[in-house]
Amino acid sequence: DAGVIQSTRHEVTEMGQEVTLRCKPISGHDYLFWYRQTMMRGLELLIYFNNNVPIDDSGMPEDRFSAKMPNASFSTLKIQPSEPRDSAVYFCASSPGLAALNEQFFGPGTRLTVL
Amino acid sequence: AQSVAQPEDQVNVAEGNPLTVKCTYSVSGNPYLFWYVQYPNRGLQFLLKYITGDNLVKGSYGFEAEFNKSQTSFHLKKPSALVSDSALYFCAVRDMMDSSYKLIFGSGTRLLVRP
């Protein structure tokens, strides 16, 4: 089992540029979560999907952030335009059905640096 | 509102000694409780969970946790620490009454096991 895949481990961009983070969940998992981790704020849930449909995006910090899940095997988190304060580690996680009971499986994370 | 508190930023213990990482929670209904571990430059890994039943839960790598409803606590324990246990540990809670599948994470506790 390949686990949750975030193929880009480090992403460096300049302020004002668009950046897209990518995630492939574990096959068969119905739920997908995007988190952001910083020293100051800890681990924050940004948005989560159920069966490719966004359920709760209340954690998305600003309109500059958007997320999509066009199919069950792929999700993106886009920041446009990016700002230095967006620098963080972004994790994707997935969970099988009955997500209330089941643990989440995390990807290795993408460390984003906005210069 | 749901919340999780990990009162210690860091726990230091000598190898071979027992360890405890503390976690208290606040929910409206009954809790689902989880412990995750994060090694450097890695995503979070699931350790154990309490859903219902026996208050003592056993998990991966010899870890266990005890659910105490009266004290609203879910402390993580291990009888004999290993240097390789050194990592960042997160407690998380979900309220059984909450229709959302959001996990609320604590701020994390860094465990340092010295040889």
Side-chain angles (χ1 to χ4, degrees), chain B residues 45-48 58-64 76-78 85:
Chain B
Q45 296 177 31
F46 168 76
L47 275 180
L48 50 80
K58 294 186 184 298
S60 306
Y61 311 122
F63 284 94
E64 59 187 29
L76 181 70
K77 300 182 179 184
K78 187 173 182 180
D85 293 330

Side-chain angles (χ1 to χ4, degrees), chain A residues 13-19 62-65 78-86 114:
Chain A
T13 191
E14 292 187 347
M15 182 174 63
Q17 297 297 306
E18 174 182 308
V19 60
E62 299 172 33
D63 291 345
R64 298 185 294 106
F65 286 69
K78 185 167 71 175
I79 308 172
Q80 165 64 16
S82 58
E83 297 182 4
R85 60 195 170 113
D86 301 330
V114 183

Side-chain angles (χ1 to χ4, degrees), chain B residues 67-80:
Chain B
F67 170 61
N68 188 317
K69 188 171 184 178
S70 63
Q71 296 186 3
T72 62
S73 67
F74 190 57
H75 300 332
L76 181 70
K77 300 182 179 184
K78 187 173 182 180
S80 179

Side-chain angles (χ1 to χ4, degrees), chain B residues 26-38:
Chain B
S26 176
V27 296
S28 301
N30 290 320
Y32 295 138
L33 293 156
F34 301 79
W35 275 103
Y36 287 81
V37 59
Q38 184 179 27

Side-chain angles (χ1 to χ4, degrees), chain A residues 8 10 58 62 70 72 86 94 97:
Chain A
T8 301
H10 300 275
S58 60
E62 299 172 33
D86 301 330
S94 69

Side-chain angles (χ1 to χ4, degrees), chain A residues 30-73:
Chain A
D30 298 331
Y31 291 84
L32 183 138
F33 305 81
W34 280 102
Y35 290 89
R36 177 173 69 175
Q37 186 179 37
T38 62
M39 290 291 293
M40 291 296 295
R41 300 175 68 89
L43 196 63
E44 303 173 276
L45 176 66
L46 300 177
I47 184 171
Y48 79 92
F49 296 81
N50 178 23
N51 291 325
N52 313 337
V53 176
I55 302 300
D56 187 339
D57 65 354
S58 60
M60 296 285 259
E62 299 172 33
D63 291 345
R64 298 185 294 106
F65 286 69
S66 62
K68 294 182 179 179
M69 193 164 186
N71 57 63
S73 60

Side-chain angles (χ1 to χ4, degrees), chain B residues 50-101:
Chain B
Y50 171 83
I51 302 299
T52 186
D54 194 346
N55 289 344
L56 184 63
V57 178
K58 294 186 184 298
S60 306
Y61 311 122
F63 284 94
E64 59 187 29
E66 186 166 11
F67 170 61
N68 188 317
K69 188 171 184 178
S70 63
Q71 296 186 3
T72 62
S73 67
F74 190 57
H75 300 332
L76 181 70
K77 300 182 179 184
K78 187 173 182 180
S80 179
L82 299 172
V83 172
S84 57
D85 293 330
S86 298
L88 189 57
Y89 290 81
F90 290 94
C91 181
V93 69
R94 180 181 293 121
D95 190 336
M96 203 182 291
M97 299 298 292
D98 188 354
S99 59
S100 162
Y101 290 136

